[in-house]
Amino acid sequence: MWKTIKSDISAVFDNDPAARNWFEVAFTYSGLHAIWAHRIGHWFYKRRVFTIARIISQWSRFMTGIEIHPGAVIGKRLFIDHGMGVVIGETCEIGDDVILYQGVTLGGTGKEKGKRHPTIGNNVVIGSGAKILGSFTVGENSRVGSNAVVIQEVPSNSTVVCIPGKLVKRDGVRVNRLDHASLPDPVIDIFEELQQQINELKAQLEQERQKNGGVREHDAQSV
């Protein structure tokens, strides 16, 4: 148990430059408190003491603003940063060294039974406000941009942005997992491509205009 607690606290120092000391982290980080409460609730859930498990989950939600169903399976060193509004569903599975930012939803898409929430691989970063909905896998070392809505499987080592989520490959090179400012935007890329084409057409029109103007001047001189 103490090894797990130490690992959870270490994850905060690894991912949050604002963390100053162990005492402050242990007593003031709501994401850490939500994870610890979940571990207790999950212990009861596995032993089919569902009511106690849900009471612990709801108490944690009231205290931290983070709702984690006691049935969810969470791996090692999960870091929830500024976790207000985070929701993790019952059949969700989260791997090791995952980072969730505020407003993330790992949810389902309806009233289907069985596995209905996503599986998140190791070393995944999910940006603020992102929604991952459905029973599919987000592969290892992937990143989901802020406010993206993901409704289909994400391969490993990928980046997903926009609504609905669009897969953007980056030549197989993994960028800094915390560098949200460098996330690609396919919509902006399309506008930039259109602007480039417009500039090329303008240049061609200007060449034709100059060419036609030169011909008219030559004809006038001949007359």
Side-chain angles (χ1 to χ4, degrees):
M1 181 182 69
W2 291 109
K3 184 178 180 180
T4 300
I5 292 174
K6 183 178 179 180
S7 177
D8 290 335
I9 294 176
S10 296
V12 175
F13 285 102
D14 290 341
N15 295 291
D16 187 0
R20 284 187 286 267
N21 57 70
W22 283 60
F23 182 85
E24 180 183 277
V25 168
F27 285 93
T28 66
Y29 275 64
S30 59
L32 197 58
H33 300 159
I35 293 170
W36 287 344
H38 169 75
R39 297 198 191 283
I40 298 171
H42 187 64
W43 186 90
F44 283 101
Y45 187 89
K46 289 193 300 183
R47 287 154 181 80
R48 304 186 66 81
V49 189
F50 300 128
T51 301
I52 298 297
R54 289 306 301 270
I55 289 173
I56 293 172
S57 173
Q58 291 302 300
W59 173 83
S60 175
R61 176 179 180 270
F62 176 77
M63 296 298 295
T64 66
I66 300 168
E67 182 173 348
I68 308 176
H69 194 285
V73 178
I74 293 178
K76 301 175 183 177
R77 297 178 298 278
L78 171 65
F79 177 55
I80 302 176
D81 192 20
H82 300 289
M84 181 63 71
V86 168
V87 177
I88 300 175
E90 179 182 14
T91 61
C92 185
E93 299 175 41
I94 300 176
D96 300 336
D97 300 299
V98 171
I99 298 176
L100 305 180
Y101 287 88
Q102 65 270 22
V104 167
T105 298
L106 305 179
T109 57
K111 295 182 178 181
E112 66 272 19
K113 299 293 184 181
K115 184 74 166 75
R116 60 189 184 279
H117 299 101
T119 296
I120 310 299
N122 299 333
N123 300 303
V124 171
V125 179
I126 303 178
S128 304
K131 315 299 178 187
I132 302 180
L133 308 174
S135 177
F136 54 84
T137 299
V138 176
E140 295 184 353
N141 306 316
S142 293
R143 298 193 305 160
V144 178
S146 297
N147 296 315
V149 177
V150 183
I151 55 176
Q152 60 185 358
E153 187 154 338
V154 177
S156 299
N157 305 301
S158 301
T159 300
V160 176
V161 297
C162 291
I163 303 175
K166 295 180 175 61
L167 182 63
V168 182
K169 295 184 186 262
R170 305 200 64 186
D171 300 325
V173 178
R174 184 182 173 197
V175 298
N176 182 353
R177 68 197 305 250
L178 298 178
D179 185 10
H180 290 272
S182 67
L183 283 175
D185 189 332
V187 177
I188 292 178
D189 292 343
I190 291 172
F191 279 116
E192 289 179 348
E193 183 178 350
L194 289 173
Q195 184 62 53
Q196 182 179 355
Q197 293 177 3
I198 291 171
N199 292 338
E200 291 175 355
L201 288 172
K202 284 183 177 180
Q204 292 176 9
L205 288 172
E206 180 62 23
Q207 291 176 0
E208 291 296 324
R209 188 186 66 81
Q210 293 178 357
K211 180 179 178 181
N212 292 334
V215 169
R216 286 195 294 269
E217 183 179 350
H218 176 75
D219 292 343
Q221 290 176 353
S222 299
V223 174

